Amino acid sequence: MPTTPATAAHSSSNGTAEAIMLELVDEDGTTIGTAEKLAAHQPPGQLHRAFSVFLFDEQGRLLLQRRALGKYHSPGVWSNTCCGHPYPGEAPFAAAARRTYEELGVSPSLLAEAGTVRYNHPDPASGLVEQEFNHLFVGMVQDRLDPDPEEVGETAFVTAGELAERHARSPFSAWFMTVLDAARPAIRELTGPSAGW
């Protein structure tokens, strides 16, 4: 994983992974504390800050990723380009750009805020709960992908019509449609009316 100021602060000196901490928030998105990542997702879930990224190619196709089978939460399902959690004190925009690079090996261009959405989605397979205040971002991807196989099992660029077909026949993350629908106004502004989003 590339070392950045944020990741350097979350790696221990002896090379072992420290507990990943998330920012807990109130219903208005104001920080009220921190919690360890897995603990925050245990039922009933603790409301925490998250982000979701939607990147498009020059044809207006959305980049999807299928989460790696080794992930403890929602493994092997399709989801948006990238999603995750800012470290405590890390700006959501910076976290979104950082994590997109870590997972997919690309830096998004024209990345822009697309609002926020609050949701509570249990994951039936794992029993974990996504209780999130999610910051949405849309942008473009113009470089060749270099996915981290520990994070990403597969990628695909899809049109709006192809997404509907794929969603009908393949498992997607519990939060996917919620974040997609919330981001649609910004997606339409980025891709234009002809892309059909």
Side-chain angles (χ1 to χ4, degrees):
M1 172 173 73
T3 301
T4 67
T7 57
H10 297 277
S11 302
S12 66
S13 58
N14 65 5
T16 60
E18 290 183 6
I20 296 173
M21 302 300 289
L22 306 185
E23 222 172 61
L24 300 181
V25 299
D26 65 15
E27 294 292 338
D28 298 317
T30 303
T31 303
I32 58 171
T34 60
E36 191 277 324
K37 182 179 177 182
L38 186 56
H41 290 86
Q42 298 291 340
Q46 295 174 277
L47 184 60
H48 57 274
R49 195 176 309 284
F51 63 82
S52 289
V53 177
F54 296 86
L55 297 183
F56 295 82
D57 66 9
E58 292 178 356
Q59 289 77 49
R61 298 179 304 167
L62 171 61
L63 173 59
L64 298 177
Q65 71 155 276
R66 188 173 60 80
R67 295 165 62 85
L69 292 173
K71 293 182 79 73
Y72 73 87
H73 190 339
S74 303
V77 300
W78 288 94
S79 198
N80 48 292
T81 307
C82 181
C83 54
H85 309 91
Y87 293 125
E90 183 182 23
F93 184 95
R98 169 184 60 79
R99 197 68 190 135
T100 301
Y101 181 74
E102 290 172 356
E103 290 190 7
L104 295 161
V106 294
S107 295
S109 57
L110 303 175
L111 191 65
E113 294 182 11
T116 59
V117 63
R118 197 276 197 227
Y119 54 78
N120 177 359
H121 286 302
D123 175 35
S126 67
L128 300 176
V129 177
E130 288 290 1
Q131 186 89 248
E132 294 185 331
F133 188 95
N134 196 307
H135 297 257
L136 308 171
F137 299 94
V138 300
M140 303 289 291
V141 59
Q142 297 172 311
D143 298 324
R144 184 175 170 274
L145 301 177
D146 184 20
D148 178 348
E150 292 188 12
E151 298 289 342
V152 180
E154 188 178 350
T155 60
F157 283 95
V158 296
T159 65
E162 290 166 345
L163 173 62
E165 292 172 13
R166 187 181 292 258
H167 192 261
R169 59 178 160 75
S170 302
F172 272 71
S173 63
W175 61 87
F176 176 75
M177 287 308 297
T178 300
V179 293
L180 175 64
D181 287 344
R184 278 186 199 274
I187 291 170
R188 290 185 188 114
E189 188 174 328
L190 177 72
T191 61
S194 62
W197 293 102

